Amino acid sequence: VIARTAAAGYPVRSLLLSPQRLADLTPAVAALQCPVHVASYAVLEAVTGFHVHRGALASFGRLPLRTAGDVLAGATRVVVMEAVTNHTNLGAVFRSAAALGMDAVLLSPTSCDPLYRRTVRVSMGQVFSVPYAFLDDWPAGIDEVRAAGFRVLALTPDPAATDLAEIQVAPDEKVALLFGAEGPGLTEEVMVRSDERVRIPMAAGVDSLNVGAAAAVECWVL
């Protein structure tokens, strides 16, 4: 994850490592030009107050945020998240987006920060490989996505929505997938701005999937 952060151009500030990690650095991390602090696990645990440090911690500076227009330019497959405030879920979505060929992720202003440490870790550093931006004007920002030529599909467990298996998408068609937060899902004012409501069919009395799992399914199908 540290190597991926550096490769994405984020400026490194310093490393805090255990002796075991220091002896086992990848060439990319060992080549970083920054202060390197080494401490025993006992000291690391004393610093944090509990056993959380896995032996390799890095501090990086941020890069300027991209605009939605920047990340939409040249993209054909994007994921749009509304009010996803769970850092683990957002990290899982970024990892799936990277693995399954999505070009960008767009976020509502109420979504959590992709560069929060847990999101970075859960995504295995893929928050740095998938361009992202916040749609500051929400939910009107969905109209900006549609104006860029994207067909917007809103994911919902509503039985009246179109079965995912019935969706036909041309290889060069621009498509945006809308996902809501765990529990409430997408708001109605967002869904009315979509072109179509889509559901993943459920079996055995299950009403829905975790948003990270749903995003993985939808991204793979797309």
Side-chain angles (χ1 to χ4, degrees), residues 10-91:
Y10 287 78
V12 64
R13 293 169 174 157
S14 62
L15 302 179
L16 176 59
L17 307 172
S18 69
Q20 296 92 328
R21 289 293 191 183
L22 181 64
D24 191 36
L25 292 182
T26 65
V29 176
L32 294 177
Q33 299 298 309
C34 68
V36 177
H37 308 284
V38 181
S40 69
Y41 275 105
V43 170
L44 297 175
E45 186 168 342
V47 169
T48 59
F50 56 101
H51 184 64
V52 66
H53 197 297
R54 297 186 179 182
L57 184 69
S59 174
F60 285 84
R62 289 173 178 258
L63 296 176
L65 283 174
R66 294 179 170 99
T67 67
D70 289 339
V71 302
L72 287 171
T76 58
R77 300 284 190 267
V78 301
V79 170
V80 185
M81 311 297 294
E82 180 185 25
V84 175
T85 57
N86 184 292
H87 297 95
T88 298
N89 285 342
L90 188 61

Side-chain angles (χ1 to χ4, degrees), residues 14-209:
S14 62
L15 302 179
L16 176 59
L17 307 172
S18 69
Q20 296 92 328
R21 289 293 191 183
L22 181 64
D24 191 36
L25 292 182
T26 65
V29 176
L32 294 177
Q33 299 298 309
C34 68
V36 177
H37 308 284
V38 181
S40 69
Y41 275 105
V43 170
L44 297 175
E45 186 168 342
V47 169
T48 59
F50 56 101
H51 184 64
V52 66
H53 197 297
R54 297 186 179 182
L57 184 69
S59 174
F60 285 84
R62 289 173 178 258
L63 296 176
L65 283 174
R66 294 179 170 99
T67 67
D70 289 339
V71 302
L72 287 171
T76 58
R77 300 284 190 267
V78 301
V79 170
V80 185
M81 311 297 294
E82 180 185 25
V84 175
T85 57
N86 184 292
H87 297 95
T88 298
N89 285 342
L90 188 61
V93 170
F94 266 91
R95 190 170 181 180
S96 293
L100 300 171
M102 299 296 106
D103 299 312
V105 174
L106 296 173
L107 304 157
S108 73
T110 52
S111 292
C112 57
D113 180 8
L115 299 190
Y116 183 76
R117 58 187 178 274
R118 183 165 182 81
T119 309
V120 171
R121 186 168 69 248
V122 172
S123 77
M124 287 300 293
Q126 297 302 345
V127 292
F128 304 117
S129 65
V130 181
Y132 74 89
F134 284 90
L135 289 166
D136 296 323
D137 190 7
W138 189 266
I142 302 298
D143 299 330
E144 181 182 350
V145 178
R146 297 182 76 232
F150 284 82
R151 175 185 174 190
V152 178
L153 303 179
L155 270 292
T156 172
D158 186 350
T162 303
D163 188 314
L164 175 60
E166 298 174 8
I167 296 296
Q168 299 295 318
V169 177
D172 59 347
E173 184 177 3
K174 292 183 177 182
V175 180
L177 304 175
L178 280 176
F179 296 94
E182 201 76 31
L186 290 169
T187 58
E188 183 62 27
E189 57 184 349
V190 166
M191 286 200 284
V192 297
R193 284 178 156 87
S194 70
D195 295 297
E196 193 166 1
R197 302 182 189 199
V198 180
R199 64 179 174 86
I200 298 171
M202 298 286 117
V206 178
D207 62 350
S208 63
L209 293 174

